[in-house]
Amino acid sequence: MSQQRIPLKLTATRFVRAVRIFMTSDVGRQARLLLFALVALFGGISALNVVNSYVSRYFMTAIAEKQTAEFIRQAILYTGAFAASTIVSVIARLAEERLALLWREFLTRRAIGIYMTNGTFYRVGVRGKLSHPDQRIAEDIKAFTITTLSFVLMLLNSALTILTFSSVLWLISPLLFIAAVVYAAFGSYMTIVLGRPLINLNHDQLDGEAAFRSSLIRVRENAESIVIAGEEQRHANLLLRQFDALAANFRRIIVVNRNVGYFTTGYNWMIQIIPVVIIAPAFFRGDMEFGVITQSAAAFAMLVGAFSFIVRQFNSISNFATVVARISSLLEAVEEAGKASTTDVEVVETEGKLAYEQLTLASPTQETLLKNLSMVVPTDTRLIVAGEGEAAGTALFRATAGIGASGNGRIHRPAREHMRFIAQRPYFAPGTLRQILVPTQRPTEESDDQILALLDRLGLARPLTSSDLDEDQDWSSMLSPREQQLIVIASVLITAPSYVVLEKADTIFGHELLAEILRLLADRKIACVNFAEADAPRAGYDAVLEYHADGSWRWIDQGKRP
């Protein structure tokens, strides 16, 4: 598992940008109110901490001098101060969690909105520049919002603690104040030196964990194919290699944590001793009362703790830097994929028309696949697209579907609700069968009996009833690939778009069933374009678009002309 260098400057820029976008969004006013309330609450907590330090001082002095009345009075004040601190702290925690949730909701909705628009999620996957975007959206955004807010509030608390306890410690002993500053600076420097490798190691660990989890999911999703092929051991070896890499990286993390732990544990123990060593001689000389020792120890610990933010939170900071870097790379990949494609193929939404205008398509190696295609697919037409090889047909299918294609020219096609594309491998989101058959944007008047009769006519072997149509299931895993294709064809026949575009329908349905599907489409006046195998039968179609190895093409009229 190779380590990646995280660009800290870019990470900081992305972090500031994320905060700015949130604060200026439509929920920004609510966020600013919550943040203002948190600042006020943390200010109150800091003030109560100072009050507690003085109450503790007088309380301990009363014990040392055996002053019963003063002891009782200070005990009552002590209890009241702690009760007030508890109430304010709980309210602050509630406001913090509410603000973190508000931020996560905003970022997640924004990320999904960009990720799922205009095929961005597809281009991100095809380019292969981003690993496991699902984990980054689901887990990293959550960690980013919670951890960011936690760090901001800890920094705020540290700043308020420094402001309030610096004067307290200076009044007790200027030497003690200087010792706190120097000790905290030394601790922060050493922690950074010892723990810096954790940032990149944690980044690698998160990526490795996501890859391992994805491999396990793929094994589960393809369990039947793996068993049939007898490849259990090969997949087991792959999983074990990934896990071995994870374990090796984690061992490196353990070593760094051990080194940091040696230092920070000793560092924290010394915080308890240093103020007593500095103040005790003054108490022995009678220059200070006993309660000052306990107050100075508490004030020193608070001040050093505030100055030692890096020491106390380094593990969290290293994880946080990793999360920010991963969110940054997610935003970069999504933004890059969301930009207009470099292709010169223009897709124009034209009502009731599928046509190609001077369309030229090329392979990734810039080999010409199709030259100057200009034609109109008439409505209520059954067209088969076939020719030498498959590259040109595949490129034309993808270009028609709006998937990035290399080339130039123009494609006219109806709006999405009037045009359906059926790829070789459909996917059903979890839900009811009715939602798949009849999308909400295309209501139908067909009864349940008519829908079930249509499925039976298409040859769906699985017996279904009206209640099955409204059963919430993961139909993608329950139905075979062929059954899924039949469900999609039924949906097309029910919703009756202007055009349906098929990919290798002969291979999926067989010639006999495909002929029946073409008849059903013709009965409903749905134009059909089938991108078929080169040797697919051409009977039953109104026209043939034939392409050749040199990029030329030919329209063969078998009943209608373009």
Side-chain angles (χ1 to χ4, degrees):
M1 190 180 297
S2 61
Q3 286 195 29
Q4 305 177 33
R5 295 294 301 173
I6 296 177
L8 296 180
K9 184 177 180 180
L10 178 60
T11 297
T13 302
R14 287 286 190 181
F15 170 73
V16 172
R17 182 187 174 197
V19 174
R20 185 174 65 250
I21 290 173
F22 176 53
M23 287 299 176
T24 56
S25 67
D26 54 347
V27 296
R29 183 173 181 274
Q30 184 180 356
R32 289 192 295 273
L33 287 173
L34 284 169
L35 186 59
F36 177 78
L38 281 167
V39 171
L41 288 166
F42 273 85
I45 291 171
S46 185
L48 285 168
N49 285 336
V50 173
V51 171
N52 281 335
S53 75
Y54 279 98
V55 173
S56 174
R57 168 180 173 173
Y58 298 133
F59 180 75
M60 296 305 294
T61 299
I63 293 175
E65 297 180 1
K66 300 179 181 179
Q67 299 174 345
T68 304
E70 182 65 13
F71 168 77
I72 294 174
R73 191 170 75 88
Q74 293 301 327
I76 294 172
L77 290 175
Y78 220 165
T79 303
F82 273 122
S85 296
T86 300
I87 293 171
V88 175
S89 297
V90 170
I91 295 174
R93 179 63 179 171
L94 180 66
E96 178 183 346
E97 290 177 344
R98 181 67 188 88
L99 182 55
L101 178 60
L102 182 68
W103 197 2
R104 184 189 180 190
E105 287 177 334
F106 168 77
L107 277 182
T108 302
R109 292 179 187 279
R110 186 171 184 270
I112 291 177
I114 298 173
Y115 186 65
M116 297 300 295
T117 300
N118 298 326
T120 298
F121 66 96
Y122 170 79
R123 288 191 290 274
V124 166
V126 168
R127 295 182 181 187
K129 294 184 178 180
L130 183 71
S131 60
H132 315 294
D134 50 347
Q135 187 202 35
R136 299 181 192 227
I137 293 175
E139 297 181 17
D140 290 347
I141 286 180
K142 175 185 177 183
F144 172 74
T145 54
I146 293 175
T147 311
T148 296
L149 191 55
S150 178
F151 281 154
V152 168
L153 295 177
M154 281 191 287
L155 283 171
L156 172 64
N157 188 49
S158 295
L160 291 172
T161 300
I162 290 170
L163 287 175
T164 52
F165 278 95
S166 290
S167 58
V168 173
L169 205 58
W170 183 269
L171 290 173
I172 294 173
S173 170
L175 177 61
L176 195 57
F177 173 79
I178 294 171
V181 174
V182 172
Y183 189 67
F186 169 73
S188 299
Y189 172 77
M190 289 301 299
T191 302
I192 292 172
V193 170
L194 293 171
R196 186 179 180 85
L198 278 177
I199 297 175
N200 291 306
L201 288 171
N202 284 331
H203 186 282
D204 290 343
Q205 192 70 20
L206 283 175
D207 263 354
E209 296 282 1
F212 182 57
R213 184 166 53 251
S214 294
S215 296
L216 288 170
I217 292 172
R218 283 196 297 271
V219 168
R220 184 192 67 195
E221 291 176 342
N222 299 281
E224 183 176 333
S225 299
I226 292 172
V227 170
I228 292 173
E231 295 187 337
E232 297 97 321
Q233 190 58 49
R234 187 171 74 85
H235 285 277
N237 292 338
L238 173 63
L239 290 171
L240 290 174
R241 281 198 301 272
Q242 287 182 306
F243 182 75
D244 288 342
L246 271 179
N249 190 74
F250 196 71
R251 278 192 287 270
R252 289 191 287 270
I253 292 175
I254 290 173
V255 170
V256 178
N257 279 332
R258 178 201 63 195
N259 297 337
V260 173
Y262 277 137
F263 176 77
T264 55
T265 302
Y267 176 88
N268 289 327
W269 278 113
M270 289 298 294
I271 291 175
Q272 303 176 44
I273 300 173
I274 291 174
V276 177
V277 170
I278 294 175
I279 296 299
F283 173 73
F284 295 149
R285 292 193 303 268
D287 296 337
M288 288 185 180
E289 57 190 21
F290 179 74
V292 176
I293 295 179
T294 57
Q295 183 187 24
S296 64
F300 184 87
M302 295 287 286
L303 192 61
V304 171
F307 277 124
S308 304
F309 177 78
I310 293 176
V311 178
R312 292 185 295 113
Q313 300 294 332
F314 189 82
N315 275 329
S316 299
I317 291 172
S318 63
N319 284 320
F320 174 64
T322 298
V323 169
V324 174
R326 286 168 62 81
I327 293 293
S328 297
S329 58
L330 170 66
L331 291 173
E332 286 176 0
V334 167
E335 288 173 358
E336 183 181 343
K339 293 177 182 176
S341 175
T342 55
T343 181
D344 292 323
V345 176
E346 182 183 3
V347 179
V348 181
E349 192 172 292
T350 306
E351 184 176 355
K353 177 182 179 182
L354 175 59
Y356 303 96
E357 182 181 340
Q358 295 295 312
L359 180 65
T360 296
L361 298 176
S363 69
T365 58
Q366 299 307 307
E367 177 186 357
T368 301
L369 301 175
L370 199 63
K371 291 188 294 188
N372 298 324
L373 176 64
S374 293
M375 53 161 284
V376 177
V377 181
T379 56
D380 191 17
T381 298
R382 294 169 295 181
L383 170 68
I384 182 173
V385 181
E388 301 174 30
E390 296 184 2
T394 300
L396 184 58
F397 176 83
R398 290 162 61 85
T400 307
I403 298 175
S406 179
N408 56 74
R410 182 174 295 174
I411 300 174
H412 297 268
R413 71 180 197 191
R416 270 292 185 176
E417 58 266 26
H418 300 296
M419 189 171 189
R420 293 286 294 274
F421 292 86
I422 303 180
Q424 287 181 280
R425 186 178 179 182
Y427 169 73
F428 296 158
T432 67
L433 204 55
R434 190 184 304 279
Q435 291 170 335
I436 298 170
L437 287 165
V438 189
T440 54
Q441 67 271 24
R442 297 296 302 274
T444 180
E445 296 180 358
E446 303 223 16
S447 66
D448 288 359
D449 290 338
Q450 290 174 312
I451 292 174
L452 294 172
L454 176 60
L455 291 173
D456 184 63
R457 183 176 179 182
L458 289 172
L460 187 70
R462 186 184 300 264
L464 296 174
T465 63
S466 295
S467 60
D468 292 325
L469 296 177
D470 295 306
E471 188 174 352
D472 202 329
Q473 294 281 359
D474 184 3
W475 293 100
S476 187
S477 61
M478 291 187 63
L479 299 174
S480 69
R482 178 183 171 82
E483 289 176 323
Q484 292 178 43
Q485 292 284 7
L486 292 174
I487 293 294
V488 175
I489 289 295
S491 175
V492 170
L493 293 170
I494 291 169
T495 56
S498 300
Y499 291 87
V500 60
V501 182
L502 309 172
E503 183 181 24
K504 293 183 173 53
D506 304 80
T507 304
I508 297 168
F509 301 114
H511 303 317
E512 185 177 339
L513 177 57
L514 179 59
E516 175 66 13
I517 291 172
L518 292 174
R519 282 193 293 271
L520 290 170
L521 291 171
D523 291 344
R524 288 165 170 77
K525 299 188 181 302
I526 302 172
C528 172
V529 181
N530 178 26
F531 288 81
E533 302 281 356
D535 58 350
R538 300 182 179 184
Y541 293 94
D542 301 309
V544 179
L545 175 61
E546 186 176 85
Y547 52 83
H548 305 285
D550 61 357
S552 62
W553 57 277
R554 182 170 63 132
W555 175 277
I556 303 173
D557 188 3
Q558 299 190 156
K560 294 188 177 183
R561 293 186 178 275

